[in-house]
Amino acid sequence: SLLCRAEDTQTSAANVVTDATFEELVLKSPVPVLVDFWAPWCGPCRMIAPLIDEISNEYGDKLRALKLNTDESPSVATEYGIRSIPTVMIFKDGAKLDTVIGAVPKSTLVN
């Protein structure tokens, strides 16, 4: 007999952050944090998702990369004025350092 099993194909190196965990995982992080604000229906968000994972893998312990689904966690997105997605923000020592809006090349995100 043939057994088929559905598996989640959304493998991701970057972890998930939510409204409930944002303060702990981002603002209180001992290392800089890259936060990818995205939504499942957003085509450009899906385009940059692999880049976020690559950055997460390349920087290892020096940088934490997290993804925040703006549909599931609208409070943080509203608090930081997210009007367009994808938006990537860099946080360090509890403060927002930089923002990149739109699907951009990896070189733009790394700089």
Side-chain angles (χ1 to χ4, degrees):
S1 75
L2 180 63
L3 176 65
C4 293
R5 187 174 58 200
E7 292 186 16
D8 185 1
T9 55
Q10 287 285 70
T11 55
S12 175
N15 290 312
V16 173
V17 63
T18 65
D19 285 347
T21 59
F22 191 83
E23 183 178 356
E24 188 66 34
L25 295 179
V26 178
L27 302 180
K28 293 182 178 177
S29 174
V31 296
V33 184
L34 178 152
V35 180
D36 173 21
F37 293 86
W38 73 286
W41 48 264
C42 166
C45 297
R46 290 195 303 271
M47 286 170 46
I48 72 160
L51 305 180
I52 304 298
D53 291 336
E54 285 176 27
I55 291 168
S56 179
N57 288 329
E58 285 172 21
Y59 283 83
D61 295 338
K62 293 188 230 90
L63 175 82
R64 179 182 285 170
L66 301 171
K67 297 182 181 191
L68 185 137
N69 180 332
T70 57
D71 287 348
E72 295 174 357
S73 296
S75 297
V76 170
T78 301
E79 182 180 338
Y80 286 95
I82 305 296
R83 292 188 186 88
S84 303
I85 52 174
T87 293
V88 174
M89 289 186 174
I90 305 290
F91 292 83
K92 185 177 180 187
D93 299 325
K96 181 180 76 170
L97 290 185
D98 201 7
T99 303
V100 178
I101 299 170
V104 296
K106 181 178 167 189
S107 58
T108 303
L109 294 174
V110 172
N111 290 335

